[in-house]
Amino acid sequence: MGRIAGVTAAETRQRLLRAAAEAFAERGYDGTRVADIAAAAGVSNGALYAHFGSKAELLVAALLAHGRRGLADLFAADPDRSVPDLLLEIGRWLPQRRDARGYLIVEALVAARRDEDVARPMRDYVGERAGSMAALGRLAQDRGELDPALSPAALAHFCLLLSMGSALVTPDLHAVDDEEWAALLARVVGALTPGPS
């Protein structure tokens, strides 16, 4: 089992990323072998290593390819929408049940605590997400949508904590009523907006 006839290198890479996302979400980083991912993608271990130098690299690539859409992605799709509205939309998703790929972030964060090969790219991943969120915060401040006294970096950190924490506290561990959650979010986001002038 090497290269699949009629399949491009890009298609093979996508197959590997899908197989990795499913395997890591189902069996965890430590419980998944590279050979399992290669077999699920229908390629050899050598073909896998032609695309990814290590299991750690594959985990982070799978997270980047199959992770949940973030605030920056939603903003890019609708740049005229207010950032507070986007915060509310993303926030409403947080207590929802995750699909298998939603657990990738949990696996990546746990693996990063034990494996420096995962920690290095995860610092970049988290830093990039925080930077994008802080940039949106500054833009929202320039547009008068968020309180100019707020630190965009602190707001980004707060959003990251909520997002990543929601991947850990799933509805089967603790559920919250949708209306009660929406009311709390509206209060929190309202506190971030400028007061009456």
Side-chain angles (χ1 to χ4, degrees):
M1 181 178 7
R3 185 176 164 122
I4 303 169
V7 176
T8 67
E11 290 168 334
T12 299
R13 181 179 172 83
Q14 288 308 310
R15 289 172 79 137
L16 286 164
L17 289 171
R18 264 192 311 277
E22 290 167 8
F24 289 138
E26 182 181 319
R27 293 189 292 277
Y29 179 73
D30 291 333
T32 300
R33 298 177 316 136
V34 170
D36 299 331
I37 296 168
V43 301
S44 67
N45 286 0
L48 183 146
Y49 283 114
H51 291 274
F52 302 99
S54 68
K55 185 167 101 168
E57 184 182 324
L58 184 53
L59 172 66
V60 176
L63 177 63
L64 290 170
H66 296 290
R68 292 173 57 123
R69 288 183 63 203
L71 187 60
D73 293 337
L74 283 175
F75 182 76
D78 187 2
D80 294 328
R81 190 166 178 196
S82 79
V83 172
D85 283 348
L86 292 172
L87 288 171
L88 285 170
E89 181 177 342
I90 291 275
R92 284 188 203 104
W93 298 347
L94 293 179
Q96 306 289 319
R97 181 169 305 283
R98 304 283 186 260
D99 63 8
R101 292 181 183 154
Y103 292 111
L104 272 175
I105 189 69
V106 173
E107 289 305 319
L109 290 170
V110 170
R113 291 186 51 86
R114 294 189 297 258
D115 185 337
E116 185 57 29
D117 288 338
V118 178
R120 277 190 304 275
M122 281 303 292
R123 280 191 287 273
D124 293 342
Y125 172 79
V126 171
E128 184 179 308
R129 289 189 66 179
S132 293
M133 284 188 252
L136 277 178
R138 286 188 290 278
L139 175 66
Q141 287 172 324
D142 292 345
R143 292 178 4 178
E145 298 169 353
L146 289 179
D147 186 337
L150 291 173
S151 160
L155 176 62
H157 189 75
F158 178 72
C159 291
L160 280 173
L161 291 176
L162 282 176
S163 175
M164 293 180 182
S166 72
L168 294 168
V169 182
T170 56
D172 55 324
L173 295 176
H174 185 265
V176 64
D177 178 79
D178 288 342
E179 289 180 24
E180 292 173 352
W181 180 249
L184 176 64
L185 281 176
R187 297 269 308 262
V188 170
V189 172
L192 303 175
T193 59
S197 48

